[in-house]
Amino acid sequence: MRETGYSLVELANGTRSVRSATQAETFHPVIGPVAEAEALYVRQLRLRERIAAADGEFVVWDVGLGAAANPLTLLRCTRDLRCPVRLISFDQTLEPLRFALRHRLELGYFDSFEAPLTRLASGDGQTIEFSDGARRVSWELVLGDFPALLESTTIGGMPKPHAILFDPYSPASNPEMWTLPLFERLFGLLDPARPCALPTYSRSTLLRVTLLLAGFFVGRGGATGEKEETTVAANTPALIERLLDPPWLERARRSSSAEPLRQPVYRQERLSADSWARLQRHPQFAAAPSAGPSHGRPL
Ligand SMILES: C[S@@+](CC[C@H](N)C(=O)[O-])C[C@H]1O[C@@H](n2cnc3c(N)ncnc32)[C@H](O)[C@@H]1O
């Protein structure tokens, strides 16, 4: 079942997911698209409660639309709520979405969204609006290279998000989506008065240091299937249940892979002296007792 570089794979629990041959990666590889989206985004971010309590529309940035499992799961799990939802999806290609639509029956998560998604998949710059349960949904598609878009003036005029579903491929195969400049820009685009959380499936020290240095508060995220831990970042500690603590910081100092990527090239390096100094000044750690003497190389 291979077309345009994508194929369907059956996961251990019997669910189907999409695989990219070019990246040699399966989307939502452990427990499948719907279960992962429910655990990582909907339940972990308490999206039902946040959307129900929102004043006006609830804005979600969906970074890496892919086969649309994340935004569709979010919509399905909140469709009884009245608050309007505005989705803005970013991707550089519509191929995985078109592939998924052709295999909607096997994937099983399109439900009644097939018609709006077919319209969304029809081209660039699409904004579609439709009624979903008790509320209105507005869904904009922004097609192009996400790091380049962040550097453009277009992005500054977009509605500020309450939540970001951040789901590119892994840092090793998609390094341009995991650099410190990218997350600094993303953080700078948030509205400080609008609490916003960004969960992602990685729990790597490199990613967590990157998010902290970009300005986010960062915590341990819940498990998704076989992954015992994920990561949640936010522009306020109030949205994070388990903030990374000083013992984590000390482990990061000793890690052989903690220094953020500054260029879109994957590599593993220990923390630089400058990054270590900046981490210690981060408000998440600055109030905590000093991390103590170095156990590794002098910084
Ligand atoms: C793992 S898939 C996303 C799966 C998707 N969230 C879902 O629920 O089906 C990663 C997506 O990130 C997109 N992506 C990777 N690098 C990108 C870039 N530089 N700019 C925009 N999108 C990118 C890919 O095209 C791909 O669709």
Side-chain angles (χ1 to χ4, degrees):
M1 275 200 210
R2 181 161 294 185
E3 301 160 46
T4 63
Y6 299 93
S7 58
L8 274 190
V9 292
E10 186 167 322
L11 305 175
N13 64 4
T15 58
R16 305 274 172 85
S17 194
V18 175
R19 180 172 175 78
S20 159
T22 321
Q23 300 287 332
E25 282 191 27
T26 300
F27 301 4
H28 317 282
V30 183
I31 49 175
V34 172
E36 183 177 312
E38 284 179 3
L40 186 58
Y41 303 112
V42 180
R43 286 201 297 277
Q44 172 151 265
L45 294 192
R46 295 184 300 106
L47 282 179
R48 282 188 56 78
E49 293 87 329
R50 287 192 65 209
I51 292 176
D55 186 16
E57 66 183 6
F58 192 87
V59 181
V60 178
W61 285 13
D62 167 40
V63 181
L65 166 70
N70 293 337
L72 288 183
T73 302
L74 182 154
L75 290 181
R76 187 178 47 77
C77 291
T78 60
R79 72 185 338 167
D80 58 313
L81 305 175
R82 301 197 71 82
C83 173
V85 171
R86 182 191 286 239
L87 279 165
I88 305 179
S89 288
F90 303 90
D91 210 306
Q92 59 192 353
T93 172
L94 281 169
E95 285 309 317
L97 178 59
R98 290 175 177 158
F99 175 87
L101 278 165
R102 286 196 292 276
H103 297 283
R104 59 193 174 278
L105 295 181
E106 297 98 309
L107 288 167
Y109 58 75
F110 279 85
D111 305 326
S112 59
F113 299 110
E114 181 188 335
L117 266 286
T118 302
R119 277 193 285 142
L120 197 72
S122 67
D124 182 15
Q126 289 280 341
T127 299
I128 58 169
E129 302 214 1
F130 54 98
S131 297
D132 175 42
R135 45 87 192 278
R136 294 290 297 164
V137 174
S138 152
W139 194 337
E140 182 177 352
L141 170 68
V142 185
L143 205 50
D145 178 55
F146 188 66
L149 179 74
L150 287 183
E151 295 305 321
S152 74
T153 49
T154 320
I155 189 100
M158 289 184 175
K160 306 296 186 187
H162 293 86
I164 302 176
L165 318 181
F166 195 80
D167 193 20
Y169 297 114
S170 66
S173 72
N174 200 186
E176 77 271 19
M177 293 294 278
W178 301 92
T179 66
L180 179 56
L182 180 143
F183 284 106
E184 284 173 335
R185 183 76 182 121
L186 200 50
F187 183 79
L189 285 165
L190 302 181
D191 176 354
R194 174 169 285 188
C196 176
L198 178 160
T200 192
Y201 58 82
S202 171
R203 58 168 295 184
S204 75
T205 305
L206 187 159
L207 167 70
R208 289 173 169 182
V209 170
T210 305
L211 291 164
L212 286 162
L213 293 187
F216 289 94
F217 291 87
V218 180
R220 300 171 198 284
T224 59
E226 289 165 13
K227 279 201 168 196
E228 76 273 27
E229 200 171 288
T230 54
T231 297
V232 187
N235 60 351
T236 163
L239 287 182
I240 299 181
E241 272 181 27
R242 295 184 295 154
L243 285 167
L244 298 177
D245 52 15
W248 175 88
L249 188 61
E250 191 54 37
R251 284 197 299 280
R253 188 181 202 183
R254 295 195 298 268
S255 167
S256 59
S257 178
E259 181 66 10
L261 306 179
R262 286 185 167 72
Q263 304 293 330
V265 178
Y266 185 69
R267 54 99 186 96
Q268 297 183 311
E269 274 177 18
R270 296 173 67 94
L271 268 185
S272 68
D274 178 59
S275 296
W276 172 245
R278 288 176 57 198
L279 280 177
Q280 287 178 295
R281 289 197 300 272
H282 191 290
Q284 182 166 333
F285 300 110
S290 146
S294 167
H295 299 292
R297 67 194 167 107
L299 291 167

